[in-house]
Amino acid sequence: MTNVLRAKNIILFLLSIALLSASCKVASKTGSVNKNGAVLIYNVNVINVKNGDILKNKAILIKKNIIEAIDDYSALQSKADYAEKIDAGGRYAIPGLWDMHMHIEEESLVEDNLALLPVYIAYGITTMRDCASDLGMQVLDWRNEINNGKLFGPRIFTAGRKLEGMHTMWKGAMEIANEKDLNEKLDSLTSFKVDFIKITENTLAGDLFLKAVIESKKRGFKVSGHVPIDLSIKDLADARFSSIEHASYLIRLGSDEDETIRELKADTLSRADANKQYFKNFDQQKAVEGYKMLARKNVAICPTLIGGKQLAYLDEDDHHNDAYLQYLSKRFKKNYSWRINRQSTDTKEQIQQRKNNYELIAKQIPYLQSSGMLILAGTDAAALNSFIYPGLALHQELVLFQKAGLAPLAALQSATINGAKFMGVDDSLGYVEPGKIADILLLNRNPLEDISATQDIFAVMKSGIYYNRKALDSLLETAKQKSIELDAKRGD
Ligand SMILES: [Zn+2]
């Protein structure tokens, strides 16, 4: 052997050691198993979220990031002798969960938000829809990096930055005063390759809001948002609005919305009184007619009950010792005081009214389901939204759906296939079946009996990479350490 060859061999040897230790580092950090690019999960009950059927005692073969087959273990074993085998011990497989309304927000919390991405995975959320913020441009980068495998976290669909009126309270919004502005901003959002358009009504008047919906739809976008007080839900539906964010707006359908808007425009009614009137004059049957109209026009609803619940019951629920707080830095938690302070001067009557309003909104969930509307489970988790904890809140939202009277299967659908259908990606995501991307949760209990079983996670697979309980716990531990580190660095 010549010296040159020997040197080459030594270099190759060193290189292979370096590669080996690098891959070991990844494996030990994540606990992932994907030997030879194939995994066989056996002794598993596979839940069909379309109809609630359970395929009992099956095996799921995953190759790279795709579900290759679901069959009896005996049938798959021979085809997959090279695969890493995982005994699920009779547990339940469901699709990875979707949080269809959350925000990665606040310029001063970039590192905090980055550290929370793995926390979402630890809580079984494999896909989320970011509904715009001041960090919109950052989120677009993270979305792309996650898709390219450069960053670890849930798959993200994002609106980037939202459309608003001039001088809005929302930081980082794209402010529009007229149609020219609107078209310029939509050009920008198109060039950013956002996944949908988000519009809110803090300072955006109804007529320009409606134009924004129509223009966005013309460009082929899905459009989600709030409902301006001077615009009817029917007008939005006629403009093919894709989803209403927050079920509180739907209360308007329980009375004569057009009449209230007329009074508002004639200045015989204030905005605050209009809102009160909607709750006071609410008629359930009339509201159901409205929900059926929205279902016919394909308008989806993302109720976000958990946010309203946390704020309405602040006087009863003490959050100071919530275990989740260990994952959040002091600076992050400081933001929670914004909404708390906003209602700190509320009277007893106002507090009671807030609770009554929340209960009426929650009561709508089964009516929304039976009217045929597509329900999207979303939380509004964000730095500014008090005690809506990233990841955990989605599970709490599902429990609230169940408490409100939704069947566990419908609740499960709202956090899996409905999101995939809404985003138009249900050909590849949202189900545990052959041909789909392998986003799978293994649960210790059957969620069709009680939806709180989604909180009892044995393992998470995202895009074919498997994280056992130990790996998930280590993701949470890392987040905890990161928040301590950030506090120390900031002197908080
Ligand atoms: Zn939101």
Side-chain angles (χ1 to χ4, degrees):
M1 195 183 275
T2 67
N3 282 343
V4 174
L5 256 180
R6 194 172 297 139
K8 259 190 184 167
N9 279 344
I10 289 168
I11 289 168
L12 278 175
F13 175 70
L14 289 175
L15 255 179
S16 66
I17 285 182
L19 281 173
L20 198 67
S21 70
S23 67
C24 284
K25 234 181 244 163
V26 171
S28 65
K29 196 176 156 203
T30 62
S32 64
V33 188
N34 202 338
K35 191 175 149 194
N36 303 324
V39 178
L40 186 67
I41 301 173
Y42 64 99
N43 199 4
V44 63
N45 298 313
V46 182
I47 293 182
N48 180 336
V49 288
K50 286 180 197 171
N51 55 21
D53 286 352
I54 300 180
L55 294 169
K56 288 202 176 128
N57 197 18
K58 293 290 169 187
I60 309 170
L61 177 62
I62 297 109
K63 279 193 186 164
K64 294 212 169 88
N65 63 335
I66 302 292
I67 299 171
E68 173 96 357
I70 299 176
D71 207 335
D72 293 332
Y73 181 62
S74 55
L76 291 183
Q77 193 192 14
S78 57
K79 286 190 209 164
D81 54 350
Y82 57 91
E84 186 73 40
K85 292 182 182 62
I86 295 164
D87 183 357
R91 290 180 178 82
Y92 295 84
I94 62 165
L97 297 170
W98 294 51
D99 185 339
M100 286 295 284
H101 188 128
M102 46 75 64
H103 303 268
I104 295 172
E105 79 179 348
E106 188 43 56
E107 271 176 333
S108 64
L109 295 172
V110 173
E111 287 173 285
D112 304 66
N113 280 295
L114 188 60
L116 284 169
L117 296 176
V119 173
Y120 274 100
I121 296 286
Y123 276 93
I125 284 93
T126 51
T127 306
M128 54 201 199
R129 191 172 68 124
D130 170 80
C131 289
S133 77
D134 56 339
L135 290 183
M137 305 314 289
Q138 178 68 70
V139 179
L140 284 158
D141 284 347
W142 286 350
R143 173 196 68 182
N144 298 341
E145 286 170 24
I146 288 169
N147 287 343
N148 297 334
K150 287 180 188 153
L151 181 65
F152 176 62
R155 183 174 288 104
I156 297 175
F157 292 99
T158 180
R161 295 166 61 192
K162 65 181 177 179
L163 294 176
E164 251 293 357
M166 303 305 287
H167 315 295
T168 170
M169 68 195 264
W170 301 118
K171 283 194 284 181
M174 292 194 144
E175 300 186 344
I176 54 174
N178 50 47
E179 280 184 70
K180 184 172 165 284
D181 288 350
L182 167 63
N183 279 308
E184 279 171 16
K185 304 297 180 200
L186 283 176
D187 285 345
S188 300
L189 290 167
T190 305
S191 72
F192 300 158
K193 297 191 166 59
V194 299
D195 299 295
F196 66 104
I197 303 291
K198 170 89 184 292
I199 317 178
T200 59
E201 83 297 28
N202 172 234
T203 57
L204 186 57
D207 48 358
L208 191 53
F209 191 110
L210 191 61
K211 286 207 178 92
V213 176
I214 293 165
E215 277 309 308
S216 303
K217 293 298 289 192
K218 266 192 207 160
R219 292 169 183 245
F221 283 112
K222 287 171 207 316
V223 194
S224 297
H226 296 181
V227 185
I229 191 92
D230 56 347
L231 184 65
S232 78
I233 290 178
K234 175 150 189 313
D235 283 346
L236 272 179
D238 287 341
R240 297 190 301 123
F241 203 44
S242 310
S243 74
I244 293 172
E245 304 300 309
H246 318 302
S248 49
Y249 291 110
L250 297 182
I251 297 303
R252 297 185 196 180
L253 292 169
S255 58
D256 192 340
E257 205 188 7
D258 289 336
E259 175 55 26
T260 304
I261 292 172
R262 262 195 299 277
E263 287 175 38
L264 261 170
K265 286 185 172 169
D267 263 341
T268 55
L269 191 68
S270 71
R271 283 166 164 248
D273 285 340
N275 269 325
K276 275 186 204 154
Q277 197 167 294
Y278 281 129
F279 278 91
K280 206 173 116 223
N281 297 342
F282 183 81
D283 176 83
Q284 189 64 66
Q285 202 43 52
K286 192 170 171 56
V288 168
E289 295 307 317
Y291 304 158
K292 286 182 183 159
M293 176 272 293
L294 290 176
R296 279 196 304 275
K297 293 176 190 278
N298 268 323
V299 182
I301 176 70
C302 186
T304 68
L305 294 185
I306 183 69
K309 165 86 166 40
Q310 300 299 56
L311 286 180
Y313 288 88
L314 268 184
D315 64 322
E316 292 181 40
D317 303 335
D318 182 6
H319 292 286
H320 284 96
N321 297 317
D322 286 356
Y324 189 97
L325 292 171
Q326 62 186 323
Y327 308 128
L328 303 175
S329 70
K330 285 184 180 154
R331 187 186 283 179
F332 192 102
K333 284 179 275 199
K334 224 184 231 169
N335 283 275
Y336 278 177
S337 57
W338 179 67
R339 276 183 206 273
I340 298 168
N341 293 342
R342 281 215 308 181
Q343 60 181 63
S344 62
T345 53
D346 281 3
T347 62
K348 244 185 174 173
E349 287 71 31
Q350 282 171 315
I351 292 171
Q352 188 54 48
Q353 191 58 51
R354 207 186 284 277
K355 287 178 189 172
N356 295 349
N357 290 356
Y358 167 76
E359 297 302 336
L360 181 63
I361 294 162
K363 206 180 131 189
Q364 303 311 304
I365 302 298
Y367 291 110
L368 298 173
Q369 173 75 13
S370 59
S371 71
M373 284 184 81
L374 190 72
I375 300 179
L376 308 171
T379 60
D380 218 358
L384 286 172
N385 291 343
S386 322
F387 312 119
I388 309 176
Y389 299 127
L392 172 60
L394 196 266
H395 300 275
Q396 295 171 324
E397 182 78 7
L398 297 183
V399 169
L400 292 178
F401 283 177
Q402 182 174 273
K403 265 192 191 153
L406 205 60
L409 175 61
L412 195 55
Q413 289 170 338
S414 76
T416 53
I417 58 175
N418 292 5
K421 275 186 196 165
F422 181 82
M423 293 313 305
V425 293
D426 53 325
D427 55 341
S428 59
L429 286 164
Y431 307 91
V432 180
E433 62 181 31
K436 299 289 188 283
I437 292 172
D439 283 4
I440 301 170
L441 261 58
L442 294 181
L443 303 177
N444 292 321
R445 293 182 284 131
N446 181 356
L448 298 181
E449 284 170 12
D450 178 357
I451 198 66
S452 71
T454 60
Q455 302 179 39
D456 212 345
I457 298 174
F458 178 71
V460 175
M461 176 173 271
K462 195 219 159 196
S463 295
I465 309 286
Y466 183 85
Y467 304 89
N468 61 20
R469 188 63 254 174
K470 200 173 150 219
L472 300 175
D473 288 339
S474 104
L475 293 175
L476 293 173
E477 181 58 28
T478 303
K480 183 180 157 188
Q481 293 308 325
K482 183 71 190 177
S483 75
I484 295 170
E485 195 184 295
L486 286 172
D487 287 348
K489 195 171 89 178
R490 293 163 179 165
D492 288 344

